Amino acid sequence: TGVMRDVSYVPFEMPASIRPSDLRARVGPDPPVPLQISGNNTAWLRLDSLASKEKRTIDLFSGESAADQTTAVSAHRVGNKVEFRHGEQRILDYQAEPGAFPRDDIKAAYRRGGYLHPVWSPQGVVVTDDFPRDHVHHHGIWFPWTKTKFEGREPDFWNMGNGSGRVEFVQLDGCSSGSVFAEMKSTHRFVDLLVESGKVVLNEKWNLKVFSVPEKSDLWIFDLESVQTCATDSPLFLPEYRYGGLGFRGHWDWNGVEGTHFLTSNGETDRVKGHATRANWCYIGGNTTGRRTGVVVMCHPDNFRSPQPMRLHPTEPFFCFAPQQAGDMSIEPGRPYVSRYRFLVLDGEPDADRINRYWHDYANPLKATVSWR
């Protein structure tokens, strides 16, 4: 494998003749390896450790009780949310339809669905914020564009209070649970409000995978993929700007110059010097109820302009991967704009060497060679 792996998620294709409900996986006499069958006869294994350049033989067999395959991580629709849990522990919520405002002084223009909040650490500490007083349009983990041009107009899908644009939840396309990951798929749309009755600019599909982790793990892992397509024959132009795209808003307790701690894959900890640099990953964290928690956001190497430029806010717990910092860009009809990010949610101080191992596993996933007999 070239690098040590702490935990890996390995997909492989199965013959259509194999009955997924009967399939199990094991390494020698050890307990069963977590195995999950997803759509299109794709199977996933979870390997909890692998040394550099180590190869491992895993036996796939059938006939054991289904009780051996536990549901480690679950996703369930509860009201206007999808709740993700690892056993009984909360991991995160996806806000589908808009929920109630946390305060009475928020304008209706800020009503929003289609984002992640709350996100919890393994020790149960909330690491995100929603409708913060200084930026009511911030929502945990969300994906709007800020400075845009569309058919001669300039809708802003980020700063919703100006009423020029918004991102709407459309529908939940499904959710499932499993021993390796829980998955949710949803549809959003970007609406230009500068024309009467609004005009849909982009359709967006989210695919969220929240992975199971070994027992007593001190981190959560989840992947978010966004696929945006033009809703008309008109492109969406994204002029050069300092932020817009995938955003993360940290807990209110992290506010202030000294409240938020950053660390990038380049080793930069100064939030001012780190702003507008490009990195494979960025850690953002702080202290809540006296405990340090944080989130690592990893940019997939196949993303546009990867490693993407970043927005590290100078005084607030805010982070953004913003590819348009590197110059004008556009989303064109017939050419889906695909973005992939991995998140690690950590308790305690960040360890750059350990985070780099997880980054290499994300960027260079393990490959499985399968022999059937």
Side-chain angles (χ1 to χ4, degrees):
T1 65
V3 295
M4 177 180 173
R5 314 272 176 153
D6 289 350
V7 59
S8 297
Y9 307 95
V10 189
F12 62 93
E13 297 302 315
M14 297 194 325
S17 59
I18 300 295
R19 287 174 41 182
S21 61
D22 291 344
L23 198 62
R24 303 291 177 267
R26 178 171 284 143
V27 180
D30 296 337
V33 175
L35 173 71
Q36 182 172 334
I37 313 301
S38 62
N40 300 320
N41 265 51
T42 300
W44 289 74
L45 293 165
R46 192 191 82 205
L47 300 182
D48 293 347
S49 65
L50 202 66
S52 175
K53 298 183 180 180
E54 177 186 359
K55 293 184 178 181
R56 188 169 299 174
T57 299
I58 298 170
D59 293 320
L60 303 176
F61 57 95
S62 61
E64 289 201 354
S65 168
D68 291 337
Q69 291 294 97
T70 59
T71 299
V73 60
S74 61
H76 296 291
R77 176 77 121 122
V78 180
N80 57 8
K81 293 188 175 186
V82 177
E83 296 182 356
F84 289 82
R85 297 174 182 263
H86 198 286
E88 295 302 315
Q89 290 182 270
R90 301 290 291 273
I91 302 176
L92 60 86
D93 286 354
Y94 167 76
Q95 183 73 52
E97 297 87 358
F101 287 140
R103 302 180 300 278
D104 294 334
D105 61 346
I106 300 176
K107 297 190 304 183
Y110 288 104
R111 196 168 300 281
R112 177 70 148 86
Y115 61 91
L116 305 181
H117 173 81
V119 178
W120 287 269
S121 78
Q123 291 184 7
V125 179
V126 174
V127 299
T128 52
D129 202 352
D130 196 15
F131 296 102
R133 291 185 179 276
D134 55 359
H135 282 76
V136 182
H137 52 279
H138 284 189
H139 302 287
I141 297 169
W142 79 122
F143 205 128
W145 295 108
T146 311
K147 188 175 183 180
T148 78
K149 293 183 180 180
F150 178 73
E151 296 182 344
R153 301 177 297 277
E154 299 183 359
D156 183 344
F157 305 103
W158 189 290
N159 299 289
M160 297 172 61
N162 64 24
S164 66
R166 66 169 175 252
V167 182
E168 300 175 342
F169 168 81
V170 177
Q171 65 185 26
L172 184 66
D173 299 315
C175 57
S176 60
S177 307
S179 59
V180 178
F181 62 84
E183 185 175 34
M184 180 217 71
K185 298 180 180 181
S186 63
T187 301
H188 311 151
R189 62 188 173 205
F190 289 60
V191 183
D192 175 4
L193 299 178
L194 295 174
V195 294
E196 188 176 357
S197 301
K199 185 171 186 177
V200 179
V201 178
L202 296 176
N203 292 307
E204 181 183 46
K205 294 286 188 180
W206 268 24
N207 187 328
L208 175 68
K209 282 186 170 68
V210 180
F211 292 97
S212 68
V213 293
E215 187 177 358
K216 298 181 180 179
S217 175
D218 61 349
L219 56 78
W220 300 135
I221 304 173
F222 58 92
D223 287 356
L224 177 60
E225 178 187 77
S226 162
V227 180
Q228 298 176 353
T229 56
C230 291
T232 72
D233 291 333
S234 301
L236 176 67
F237 293 103
L238 302 169
E240 182 177 343
Y241 198 62
R242 67 183 182 274
Y243 67 91
L246 178 84
F248 172 86
R249 175 70 190 215
H251 196 281
W252 181 262
D253 289 352
W254 304 356
N255 266 300
V257 175
E258 303 299 327
T260 305
H261 300 267
F262 286 94
L263 172 65
T264 76
S265 60
N266 304 323
E268 185 60 72
T269 58
D270 187 302
R271 60 204 296 172
V272 175
K273 293 179 180 178
H275 170 67
T277 61
R278 302 169 81 142
N280 292 327
W281 55 262
C282 182
Y283 166 89
I284 174 172
N287 291 335
T288 305
T289 63
R291 289 183 286 180
R292 169 64 65 85
T293 56
V295 175
V296 179
V297 190
M298 297 180 171
C299 179
H300 195 279
D302 291 341
N303 285 351
F304 179 63
R305 291 179 175 167
S306 183
Q308 293 175 337
M310 304 173 294
R311 169 63 169 161
L312 278 63
H313 198 281
T315 61
E316 297 166 3
F318 171 77
F319 168 81
C320 183
F321 270 121
Q324 70 277 30
Q325 280 186 11
D328 297 351
M329 54 182 282
S330 62
I331 301 176
E332 301 285 341
R335 298 175 58 187
Y337 180 78
V338 182
S339 302
R340 299 184 182 95
Y341 302 94
R342 172 164 288 182
F343 297 79
L344 309 181
V345 188
L346 313 168
D347 287 298
E349 299 285 345
D351 180 333
D353 289 340
R354 184 187 186 199
I355 295 170
N356 274 322
R357 292 200 300 272
Y358 279 94
W359 155 253
H360 283 295
D361 191 68
Y362 181 46
N364 305 287
L366 290 173
K367 296 188 180 350
T369 300
V370 185
S371 298
W372 301 97
R373 62 180 185 273

